[in-house]
Amino acid sequence: MIPVVSCSPIASIAVYHQTCEYEKNPLGIDIVYPRFSWTLTSRKRNQIQTAYEIIVSDNLKDIKANKGNIWTSGIVNSRQNLHIPFAGKTLQSFTRYYWKVKVYDAKGQASAWSETAWFEMAMMCENDWKAKWISDGSNTPENDADFYKDDPAPLFRQTFNIPKKIAHARLYITGVGYYEPYLNGQKIGEQMLDPGWTTYSEQVLYAAYEVTDRLHKGDNVIGIMTGNGWYNLLPFNMWCSPLRNLRKYLDCGRPAVKAQLRITYQDGDIEEIYTDQSWQTTSGPIIRNNIYLGEVYDARQEQSGWSLAGIELKKSKKAIETEGPKGKLTAQMQPQIKPIEIIKPVGINEIQPGVYLFDMGVNFAGVIRIKVNGPEGTKITLRYGEDIYPDGTLNGMTAVAGQIKGCDAGEGAPHIAWQEDQYILKGDVNGETWNPRFTFHGFRYVEVKGWPGIPVLSNIEGLRLSSDVRNAGNFTCSNEMFNTLQENIRRTFRSNMFSVQSDCPAREKFAYGGDILCTAEAFLFNYDMSHFYRKTVDDHRYTQRPQGGITETAPYVGIADHGPGDGSGPLGFQLSYTFIINKLYEFYGDKRIIEENYTVLKKQADFLISHADHHLYNSGLSDHESLDEKPFGLTESLFYYKHIELMAEYAKLMQQKEDAAYYLDIIQQIKSRVLDTYYNTETGIFANGTQTAQIFGIGYNLLPNADKTKAFSALEKAFDIRNNHLSTGIFGTKMMFDVLRKHDMNEQMYRIANQRDFPGWGYMIEKGATSLWETWAYSDNVYSQNHPMFGSISEWFYRSLLGINPDGPGFRKIIIKPQPAGDLTFAKGSYHSVQGPINVDWKISEGKFILQVEIPVNTTAQIYIPSSCGKVMESGKEINNNEIPNKKEENGYVSLSVGSGKYQFKTNYK
């Protein structure tokens, strides 16, 4: 809910939340012209902002006096409260800036100045980096088999002296693959698996940490532990194919770090401690680590106090300066991966003598933390799986890396690529606590071997990991299966946000464009994806092939299934890049993302145009995981159509008139060719008439209204053939929700969604699923049981059952159109838009439909109220057209235009 904020004695609105580049008080950004946004509150309805005034200062004294020595915008007559670009003096590296905003209401009355917010710049130019990339100097193995031998993860440290009082200190750090930073014996931050995975040849992310309180006068030590991550991968052939060796496609090398500690003393002096060849390095206790196969930790190899002053490292040597990756160092804005929940096991069984199986209760992604007491040298092995066999033993086959199951995956590769960790005890009489640092797994069950004694439930717990995105939405309704499904979807989504939106957290961990395309809007309604998806866009841009195509996965791992050539992905997977940019504009009003990518988008579009066969495509993956015969030509041609349609929109937004006219002409030619080739005007059937074919044909709005009746009749027949069960794949399923919602066919959608037998979401739940499956059918061997791509139904919960939809970029205009269906008696939830929270709560009781809505300040909404009589009460009174104008009746709804505020509507219903 919006907090109550004290407004000025005159103004009717006030600022209550300020952000710079989507973040409140961001530490360490490197954007030349950062953007300011704010949300507004008011106790009155129908409130808007008519103007704003921003001040920016580099000191608190001025900002407290309401002076801006860096920038004063003056009074700007505008309703814009999102993404106002900084336009003052040049921003300097390592400098904190303070800002305030004042707004003016509809009557021109000024609010009080907002609270003071700040943002701090990091490295604004390459020369700010004095630090060098360093490694331990070890060589990459010459033979593939040697990659599988013990290879202890390096530790790095530097001792330095602080002679006087500190004003503030910041640590800027990156690493490839992963790093963990320490100061004076304590880890800095809660993050794990940092930095985010990128195309290292193009971009490497660094983080900034506030470390003032971690330092003290005298000797201090900074330490860094490193892991292989996505940089020093094993050379095994995924799917047992030499073409699937990731080391052939990803930038690879030995683990390396680059760090710079900047200390500002109270007297104004500045000192910097940075990585170079003067640092010490030695081997750590992590003797093997791999992002897929897991981690081996030998606690006997620990060096107690390795990052504390006064401790001598054993077997240390000088670090080696190295070239490191070539990518541009960029401040990491995407949320870091952190533990978001502790999962407690719900059961334990001894499945064989000395072998125990822990049931964690749910399928999630992360690692296990153990608490153990036992003799030195005891080896504990943890093996993970998503399922169990009928005899109660572990089934890890759905989570085996790269489907390496008894085949030849290369010299030295495992026979079966299990997810597995090992811990070797040091024999501490006070007990030992450990969890892996540089790997993560997808699992529900944990098989434990070698435990000293008999383990109990309290001996292990799960660290559920995910990119720490903020929650944006919530939903609940009277259908308990839907509520369980929503929980499962959110768990699945969280399991697949590890700096990239992955397909599964175990077998592949790749960011497939198709999976992103069909679930992006569901992710956006549930979470704040502003920074996460901006990075996704960067990942796609950096994989652009020489001719212009975008790859199937980003970062590119060499997969190019049935794409149009040059290593580019199939059309539906390439569309992810174009589509995500569109959604960032739609959900967040972010136009800069289009500006930054326009040249790349244009090159991609021109590549697709040049490779089309008379404006058609026939090769691709079509509706992946469909249960029907796939209409390849229709679906691929319509993916192509959508690419060019979005390009025409971008060209118009960028005022590129010639480009817009060109793409509009191409759109008409594609449309004509598709209808001539794949549409039967007599029967209304597209291609083979399957659910997918009809949904694609209708969903891409190819037909005039007069022809849609036949096409819908053919779609209804396709549903009837399946007895109101779906047969669509990942794309057709997502589009089905859109098509039926937009055509007021929610009863049909409810019948499909509410099925409890195969195929459907209810079937998964009936079979005990706590996350989404990769396929409609249950799999105990090949297919993942933690796959987000059928999670598009969560979007339906928000768009149809709650009825929340944007009617313009950034939710400045909102549509509220709940579509009750089936036996639902209530639904309630919210979406926290960039304009503020949008709340919807409706119920059906005693023949009445009661709807409560909250609309943010500075927005307007068109509200549609299901009604059987056309008479609507608002807050106990019949609606007065002077207060709520433009009342209309249409298709069983009463529609009303409203401004901001809280409303309660009541009408007769059925």
Side-chain angles (χ1 to χ4, degrees):
M1 299 296 289
I2 295 177
V4 175
V5 177
S6 177
C7 298
S8 72
I10 299 174
S12 59
I13 59 176
V15 175
Y16 85 89
H17 182 63
Q18 300 153 254
T19 61
C20 175
E21 288 300 328
Y22 296 99
E23 293 298 314
K24 182 178 180 180
N25 301 336
L27 177 74
I29 63 174
D30 55 8
I31 298 169
V32 177
Y33 301 106
R35 297 167 297 173
F36 305 114
S37 302
W38 55 88
T39 47
L40 301 162
T41 184
S42 177
R43 295 186 179 92
K44 298 180 180 180
R45 288 179 175 177
N46 301 309
Q47 297 303 305
I48 62 170
Q49 167 193 299
T50 58
Y52 65 83
E53 186 175 359
I54 300 172
I55 55 174
V56 180
S57 177
D58 61 1
N59 66 86
L60 277 170
K61 182 179 179 181
D62 278 356
I63 209 74
K64 287 180 178 178
N66 299 327
K67 297 178 181 178
N69 70 323
I70 299 299
W71 182 42
T72 299
S73 71
I75 298 175
V76 180
N77 294 318
S78 172
R79 286 188 61 186
Q80 188 68 19
N81 61 318
L82 302 177
H83 312 310
I84 312 299
F86 171 80
K89 298 177 182 178
T90 301
L91 298 173
Q92 303 298 314
S93 300
F94 314 119
T95 304
R96 178 170 291 191
Y97 296 92
Y98 304 89
W99 69 284
K100 288 182 178 180
V101 60
K102 178 191 291 185
V103 295
Y104 297 78
D105 65 14
K107 295 181 180 179
Q109 303 296 336
S111 73
W113 284 103
S114 69
E115 294 182 352
T116 299
W118 56 264
F119 60 98
E120 187 170 302
M121 309 309 294
M123 311 284 197
M124 295 299 289
C125 61
E126 190 174 339
N127 291 337
D128 291 328
W129 282 101
K130 296 179 181 178
K132 308 296 183 182
W133 283 104
I134 60 172
S135 75
D136 69 348
S138 299
N139 295 321
T140 300
E142 294 182 3
N143 301 312
D144 282 356
D146 291 339
F147 277 92
Y148 299 91
K149 296 178 180 179
D150 287 354
D151 182 15
L155 304 176
F156 300 89
R157 68 172 255 164
Q158 179 69 288
T159 302
F160 57 97
N161 184 268
I162 294 179
K164 49 192 174 181
K165 291 184 178 180
I166 294 174
H168 55 81
R170 307 285 184 266
L171 174 65
Y172 305 95
I173 181 170
T174 186
V176 284
Y178 294 137
Y179 69 87
E180 278 194 358
Y182 291 79
L183 264 177
N184 296 322
Q186 292 185 325
K187 181 185 171 185
I188 302 169
E190 299 177 355
Q191 78 290 337
M192 296 178 67
L193 305 173
D194 217 37
W197 180 26
T198 56
T199 301
Y200 297 128
S201 60
E202 299 288 341
Q203 182 187 53
V204 180
L205 303 176
Y206 70 90
Y209 298 95
E210 161 66 73
V211 295
T212 307
D213 294 339
R214 298 292 188 96
L215 301 173
H216 55 253
K217 195 172 182 179
D219 285 344
N220 293 256
V221 171
I222 177 172
I224 304 171
M225 183 180 293
T226 60
N228 292 322
W230 292 99
Y231 192 63
N232 190 29
L233 293 155
L234 293 173
F236 57 70
N237 300 323
M238 302 182 78
W239 295 277
C240 300
S241 166
L243 297 177
R244 294 292 180 263
N245 182 341
L246 297 183
R247 293 188 69 90
K248 294 181 179 180
Y249 302 99
L250 296 174
D251 248 23
C252 293
R254 298 292 300 173
V257 294
K258 188 173 187 176
Q260 191 159 319
L261 176 64
R262 182 180 173 89
I263 303 169
T264 302
Y265 293 104
Q266 289 187 4
D267 63 6
D269 287 349
I270 293 172
E271 183 178 6
E272 292 180 305
I273 293 91
Y274 46 85
T275 49
D276 61 15
Q277 61 187 1
S278 69
W279 282 50
Q280 291 179 290
T281 182
T282 190
S283 298
I286 299 175
I287 60 175
R288 289 202 301 275
N289 71 99
N290 176 258
I291 199 69
Y292 291 102
L293 303 186
E295 186 169 306
V296 179
Y297 188 99
D298 188 345
R300 299 170 300 179
Q301 306 302 317
E302 291 178 349
Q303 295 196 42
S304 179
W306 70 275
S307 60
L308 287 172
I311 302 295
E312 289 292 329
L313 286 184
K314 300 174 184 177
K315 300 180 181 179
S316 68
K317 60 183 180 180
K318 294 292 185 182
I320 301 298
E321 292 184 10
T322 183
E323 183 178 350
K326 297 178 180 179
K328 180 181 178 181
L329 287 168
T330 307
Q332 180 167 289
M333 300 295 290
Q334 184 193 50
Q336 293 175 309
I337 298 165
K338 295 181 180 180
I340 60 169
E341 184 184 4
I342 302 297
I343 305 291
K344 302 290 187 180
V346 298
I348 180 173
N349 287 304
E350 187 174 17
I351 54 176
Q352 296 172 10
V355 180
Y356 299 88
L357 189 78
F358 284 80
D359 180 0
M360 304 305 294
V362 293
N363 194 340
F364 69 101
V367 294
I368 286 294
R369 180 159 59 198
I370 64 173
K371 300 173 184 178
V372 63
N373 195 311
E376 179 182 354
T378 302
K379 181 189 290 186
I380 298 172
T381 300
L382 309 173
R383 192 161 63 97
Y384 304 87
E386 297 181 309
D387 209 345
I388 55 176
Y389 290 115
D391 64 359
T393 58
L394 180 73
N395 178 357
M397 299 303 280
T398 64
V400 166
Q403 300 288 13
I404 299 172
K405 302 172 181 178
C407 55
D408 182 8
E411 186 181 0
H415 183 67
I416 298 179
W418 305 113
Q419 297 183 96
E420 188 173 277
D421 298 317
Q422 292 182 351
Y423 180 74
I424 302 171
L425 277 66
K426 58 187 173 184
D428 191 329
V429 296
N430 295 315
E432 302 172 41
T433 300
W434 170 81
N435 60 263
R437 287 176 170 85
F438 298 128
T439 190
F440 66 96
H441 307 294
F443 63 100
R444 173 173 173 171
Y445 300 95
V446 186
E447 178 192 85
V448 179
K449 292 182 179 179
W451 193 273
I454 300 175
V456 295
L457 289 177
S458 59
N459 285 135
I460 78 168
E461 59 188 10
L463 300 184
R464 184 180 174 211
L465 301 178
S466 174
S467 293
D468 193 24
V469 293
R470 293 183 289 264
N471 285 323
N474 62 83
F475 166 83
T476 188
C477 70
S478 59
N479 185 317
E480 284 303 318
M481 190 273 278
F482 287 176
N483 296 337
T484 299
L485 176 57
Q486 172 71 352
E487 291 177 7
N488 288 0
I489 289 170
R490 288 172 62 90
R491 186 177 297 112
T492 307
F493 284 2
R494 282 289 204 176
S495 296
N496 287 280
M497 284 191 279
F498 280 71
S499 85
V500 299
Q501 183 182 321
S502 58
D503 61 327
C504 56
R507 187 186 70 218
E508 295 177 54
K509 307 177 191 271
F510 298 151
Y512 283 94
D515 300 43
I516 296 169
L517 175 67
C518 61
T519 58
E521 289 170 278
F523 271 87
L524 284 158
F525 271 112
N526 281 287
Y527 302 105
D528 177 357
M529 301 295 288
S530 51
H531 283 308
F532 192 99
Y533 274 158
R534 282 187 68 86
K535 178 187 175 291
T536 299
V537 169
D538 287 346
D539 289 341
H540 280 78
R541 181 171 71 246
Y542 291 135
T543 66
Q544 186 166 46
R545 305 297 291 168
Q547 294 180 26
I550 300 296
T551 57
E552 185 170 343
T553 67
Y556 179 52
V557 295
I559 299 174
D561 295 318
H562 306 287
D566 195 32
S568 64
L571 274 291
F573 288 65
Q574 287 204 48
L575 182 56
S576 171
Y577 172 57
T578 319
F579 185 76
I580 287 293
I581 290 171
N582 178 261
K583 293 302 138 183
L584 288 170
Y585 179 61
E586 180 182 20
F587 275 74
Y588 304 122
D590 193 339
K591 189 176 178 180
R592 181 180 283 183
I593 195 75
I594 303 172
E595 297 168 352
E596 293 172 342
N597 286 273
Y598 187 79
T599 301
V600 177
L601 286 163
K602 189 174 186 298
K603 185 177 180 180
Q604 180 196 21
D606 293 346
F607 165 77
L608 296 178
I609 292 168
S610 68
H611 283 70
D613 182 7
H614 298 89
H615 297 294
L616 295 177
Y617 273 90
N618 290 295
S619 178
L621 293 181
S622 191
D623 193 12
H624 183 55
E625 293 301 334
S626 170
L627 298 176
D628 289 325
E629 181 184 355
K630 296 174 183 176
F632 286 95
L634 174 67
T635 54
E636 301 312 303
S637 297
L638 288 178
F639 286 138
Y640 169 48
Y641 175 86
K642 187 63 177 179
H643 272 284
I644 308 306
E645 184 180 57
L646 288 172
M647 271 309 302
E649 180 182 334
Y650 299 151
K652 183 178 179 182
L653 285 168
M654 295 296 100
Q655 299 182 346
Q656 300 292 324
K657 295 181 180 180
E658 290 186 6
D659 286 353
Y662 170 67
Y663 292 127
L664 286 171
D665 179 63
I666 296 293
I667 288 169
Q668 291 305 313
Q669 294 184 60
I670 300 170
K671 181 177 178 178
S672 177
R673 287 283 291 141
V674 168
L675 289 175
D676 288 346
T677 307
Y678 297 112
Y679 181 63
N680 187 318
T681 56
E682 297 294 324
T683 63
I685 291 176
F686 283 93
N688 58 4
T690 59
Q691 292 178 18
T692 292
Q694 295 307 114
I695 287 166
F696 265 70
I698 297 169
Y700 280 113
N701 204 28
L702 302 177
L703 300 173
N705 288 334
D707 286 355
K708 284 184 178 179
T709 300
K710 289 182 180 179
F712 269 108
S713 178
L715 175 60
E716 289 170 356
K717 289 179 181 177
F719 288 140
D720 288 343
I721 291 171
R722 292 282 184 170
N723 194 23
N724 289 315
H725 290 69
L726 49 69
S727 59
T728 46
I730 62 174
F731 302 115
T733 300
K734 185 264 185 289
M735 290 186 68
M736 175 172 60
F737 296 117
D738 296 332
V739 167
L740 298 183
R741 169 175 54 84
K742 291 176 181 178
H743 293 86
D744 289 321
M745 297 177 64
N746 213 39
E747 285 291 343
Q748 177 64 62
M749 189 63 249
Y750 188 88
R751 283 192 290 270
I752 294 170
N754 198 40
Q755 298 290 354
R756 310 302 169 96
D757 56 349
F758 177 82
W761 297 273
Y763 175 70
M764 296 184 193
I765 292 171
E766 292 292 321
K767 296 286 284 186
T770 59
S771 52
L772 298 177
W773 299 341
E774 182 179 1
T775 56
W776 293 119
Y778 166 74
S779 172
D780 69 351
N781 187 285
V782 176
Y783 298 104
S784 163
Q785 295 183 13
N786 196 341
H787 231 79
M789 59 193 187
F790 283 120
S792 52
I793 189 172
S794 184
E795 179 190 348
W796 177 67
F797 294 155
Y798 290 94
R799 286 194 184 273
S800 292
L801 299 189
L802 294 180
I804 300 172
N805 287 276
D807 195 25
F811 281 84
R812 173 59 55 78
K813 295 181 179 180
I814 302 163
I815 293 174
I816 303 294
K817 188 178 181 181
Q819 297 180 324
D823 56 358
L824 286 180
T825 57
F826 77 85
K828 59 182 178 180
S830 66
Y831 171 65
H832 202 294
S833 74
V834 284
Q835 300 288 354
I838 302 166
N839 293 299
V840 174
D841 183 345
W842 64 260
K843 64 180 179 180
I844 300 169
S845 178
E846 298 178 350
K848 302 291 185 181
F849 187 88
I850 303 166
L851 171 65
Q852 297 183 69
V853 177
E854 183 174 10
I855 303 300
V857 173
N858 209 33
T859 69
T860 58
Q862 192 71 25
I863 298 180
Y864 294 80
I865 306 155
S867 175
S868 60
C869 66
K871 180 180 179 181
V872 177
M873 307 290 286
E874 197 285 308
S875 296
K877 299 178 182 179
E878 189 169 351
I879 288 177
N880 184 333
N881 277 339
N882 292 326
E883 184 176 348
I884 303 179
N886 302 320
K887 174 185 171 187
K888 297 178 182 178
E889 296 180 35
E890 49 185 289
N891 300 325
Y893 285 88
V894 173
S895 70
L896 308 163
S897 299
V898 304
S900 64
K902 297 179 181 179
Y903 300 87
Q904 184 183 72
F905 301 102
K906 190 174 185 178
T907 185
N908 290 335
Y909 182 72
K910 294 183 180 179

